[in-house]
């Protein structure tokens, strides 16, 4: 019997490995592939105004283009004192998409005068599953923490060096990948997808 194929809207091998492990732990035997398996499909513009909208845009586009079920996620950092921004603009906060160092430095400069009691923030992730017939589900995960004044640690990416998760003495960038995956917003969202995948694809 052919295994059900599921596409994850990413070209990041680490994300594919993470979701594959979560699905396997749940006993779901699926043929999980990344967007690289379909190079002819262009990347989708993230024009939504929430993480959920952007995740759904990407999942539906991939499902329609391939005729297969698709999963997509969107995530970012939400700072309490900034009313939830950078949020969906996290990857391009400094104006250039994906310039982690510039994004980090700009955010730290904006928060320079904010003392520790007001530096609460969380990473948020929305994960969406879309089927070719238009069926959709969205789940979310959060990682609460506080923001350091200076970046610490060399693991991870993005804002990991400045977010210290609640209950931890280290930043996300000081945790091992396994430690981070166990508590991360994306890990939580992917794990919340398991019953959805079981319902729709099981």
């Amino acid at each position: 019997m052919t295994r059900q194929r599921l596409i994850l809207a990413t070209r990041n091998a680490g994300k594919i490995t993470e979701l594959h492990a979560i699905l396997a732990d749940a006993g779901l035997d699926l043929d999980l592939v990344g967007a690289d398996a379909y190079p002819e499909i262009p990347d989708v513009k993230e024009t939504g105004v929430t993480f959920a909208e952007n995740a759904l845009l990407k999942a539906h586009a991939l499902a329609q283009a391939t005729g297969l079920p698709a999963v997509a996620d969107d995530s970012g950092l939400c700072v309490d004192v900034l009313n939830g921004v950078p949020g969906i603009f996290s990857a391009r906060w400094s104006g250039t998409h994906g310039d982690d160092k510039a994004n980090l430095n700009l955010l730290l400069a904006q928060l320079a005068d904010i003392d520790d009691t007001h530096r609460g923030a969380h990473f948020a992730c929305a994960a969406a599953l879309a089927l070719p017939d238009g069926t959709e589900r969205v789940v979310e995960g959060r990682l609460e923490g506080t923001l350091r004044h200076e970046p610490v640690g060399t693991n991870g990416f993005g804002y990991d060096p400045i977010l210290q998760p609640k209950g931890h003495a280290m930043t996300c960038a000081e945790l091992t990948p396994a430690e981070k995956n166990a508590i991360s917003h994306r890990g939580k969202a992917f794990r919340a997808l398991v019953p959805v995948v079981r319902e729709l694809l099981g």
Side-chain angles (χ1 to χ4, degrees), residues 91 94 96-104:
S94 64
T96 305
H97 194 283
D99 189 339
D100 286 357
K101 189 172 183 188
N103 291 335
L104 199 64

Side-chain angles (χ1 to χ4, degrees), residues 40-64:
E40 70 281 3
I41 298 169
D43 288 335
V44 180
K45 280 192 167 37
E46 297 181 8
T47 55
V49 294
T50 64
F51 296 123
E53 285 180 17
N54 282 331
L56 281 167
L57 278 171
K58 293 185 281 189
H60 277 300
L62 209 51
Q64 291 304 313

Side-chain angles (χ1 to χ4, degrees), residues 14-193:
K15 269 194 200 181
I16 297 165
T17 301
E18 183 181 0
L19 181 56
H20 184 269
I22 288 167
L23 294 173
D25 284 348
L28 290 164
D29 185 26
L30 297 165
D31 178 23
L32 183 68
V33 297
D36 280 349
Y38 299 89
E40 70 281 3
I41 298 169
D43 288 335
V44 180
K45 280 192 167 37
E46 297 181 8
T47 55
V49 294
T50 64
F51 296 123
E53 285 180 17
N54 282 331
L56 281 167
L57 278 171
K58 293 185 281 189
H60 277 300
L62 209 51
Q64 291 304 313
T66 63
L68 293 165
V71 168
D73 72 289
D74 192 39
S75 60
L77 178 70
C78 304
V79 180
D80 296 352
V81 76
L82 297 178
N83 292 320
V85 296
I88 60 167
F89 304 109
S90 294
R92 52 187 185 276
W93 190 233
S94 64
T96 305
H97 194 283
D99 189 339
D100 286 357
K101 189 172 183 188
N103 291 335
L104 199 64
N105 289 339
L106 175 59
L107 186 66
L108 285 175
Q110 290 165 329
L111 298 173
D113 298 330
I114 305 297
D115 66 38
D116 291 349
T117 55
H118 298 294
R119 294 178 77 89
H122 67 271
F123 280 131
C125 176
L129 173 65
L131 305 186
D133 68 3
T135 300
E136 65 181 42
R137 297 280 195 283
V138 184
V139 293
E140 299 192 349
R142 283 166 68 128
L143 175 60
E144 303 281 352
T146 54
L147 296 176
R148 295 278 192 92
H149 292 267
E150 299 289 338
V152 184
T154 55
N155 295 332
F157 59 93
Y159 300 94
D160 284 351
I162 60 170
L163 187 87
Q164 180 177 320
K166 193 177 282 187
H168 290 257
M170 299 188 289
T171 68
C172 288
E174 293 177 282
L175 300 174
T176 66
E179 288 170 333
K180 184 187 162 192
N181 288 348
I183 62 169
S184 81
H185 50 306
R186 193 171 68 235
K188 288 175 183 175
F190 279 172
R191 283 189 288 276
L193 260 188

